[in-house]
Amino acid sequence: MILLSVSPEVVAESDRSPYAVRVEDLSITYRTTFEKKPTLKQAITRLGRGQRAVKEIQALTDVSFDVKVGTAMGIIGSNGAGKSTLMRAMAGILPPTTGKVEVWGKASTLLALGVGFNKSLSGRENIILGGLAAGLSRKEVEERADEVAEWTELGDFIDMPMNTYSSGMGARVGFSVAVHMKPDILMIDEALSTGDAHFREKASVKMAELRESARAMFLISHGLSSISEMCNECIWLDKGRLMMRGAPDEVIDAYMRHVKVKKSATALEEM
């Protein structure tokens, strides 16, 4: 979990802007290295060492859209489409290769459940750390810690080290921290796919509450039914390009036709 905060000046400016996020001509290219398999002659001359090669991966290409205040935006697409890359760019974690991203307001970003937690500390201690990372004062964090801990419904486990937690228990803590920091903009990547049915329903209700109070919400999920229920707009990415933007049901239908999958309850939960 990664929580971001901005200066009071930026928050003040956000109150005047009709937009929450604006993305213009965004392209992101990764450079990665890999070991090329050497030929017998190369292995002998290089004493068995392989040769490092550089490969460029175009994660996003010329993506542009703006998001007005009050929008709950779903982001869909197949694995490798660039969804998480886009979210990380909007969160300020990945710099654009070209283009720009503008964000107005304080963002609470849940990109990967449990990432950023100190697993040797208890759930309650990580709640406090998460609040401080979000820019809250020590007093504010302490005032909210008990409320967040109770919301997780982990009972006595909340005071046990997180390295004793299951993935679902860790998800409860991560989600609870993100949604209780009163963010202007909430960005969540696959958070609702982890946990039992009771937790997912409870998380959905909390997301609906945040949609009413936050400037904007972004949700990445392979559970297309969650996108349809909780979002009022949707974008579809494919191989790093923006394919479509519109009402969630229209975009989901177009996406499912593209991947040649019939619309069903099972497909909507697992796409």
Side-chain angles (χ1 to χ4, degrees), residues 5 20 89 91 98 140 143 161 186 197 206 221 248 254:
S5 61
T98 60
E140 288 174 318
E143 287 174 349
L186 180 64
K206 189 63 178 178
S221 179

Side-chain angles (χ1 to χ4, degrees), residues 223-236:
L224 300 183
S225 59
S226 297
I227 298 289
S228 179
E229 291 168 6
M230 287 186 282
C231 299
N232 53 21
E233 288 195 45
C234 183
I235 59 175
W236 161 29

Side-chain angles (χ1 to χ4, degrees), residues 90-110:
M90 292 190 295
I93 297 167
L94 280 178
T97 303
T98 60
K100 66 178 181 179
V101 178
E102 294 177 283
V103 178
W104 289 268
K106 181 177 69 175
S108 178
T109 311
L110 181 56

Side-chain angles (χ1 to χ4, degrees), residues 20-21 65 67-75 87 90 106-108 175 179 183-189 192 203-220 226-234:
V21 174
F65 62 92
V67 178
K68 290 187 176 180
V69 172
T71 301
M73 176 69 77
I75 305 175
M87 190 80 89
M90 292 190 295
K106 181 177 69 175
S108 178
F175 187 87
V179 300
D184 296 308
I185 300 170
L186 180 64
M187 302 180 184
I188 297 185
D189 186 346
L192 302 183
S204 296
V205 172
K206 189 63 178 178
M207 294 274 284
E209 291 177 10
L210 286 170
R211 175 177 161 180
E212 297 300 319
S213 60
R215 289 177 62 80
M217 180 185 80
F218 294 86
L219 173 63
I220 293 176
S226 297
I227 298 289
S228 179
E229 291 168 6
M230 287 186 282
C231 299
N232 53 21
E233 288 195 45
C234 183

Side-chain angles (χ1 to χ4, degrees), residues 128-184:
I128 292 172
L129 288 177
L132 293 173
L136 301 182
S137 68
R138 182 78 188 192
K139 181 180 179 182
E140 288 174 318
V141 170
E142 290 175 349
E143 287 174 349
R144 298 184 193 179
D146 288 342
E147 176 189 355
V148 178
E150 183 177 353
W151 199 88
T152 66
E153 297 183 355
L154 290 178
D156 292 340
F157 277 102
I158 197 66
D159 292 306
M160 296 178 64
M162 286 194 66
N163 55 21
T164 65
Y165 287 14
S166 67
S167 60
M169 293 164 71
R172 288 174 180 247
V173 177
F175 187 87
S176 299
V177 171
V179 300
H180 282 84
M181 295 303 137
K182 301 186 183 301
D184 296 308

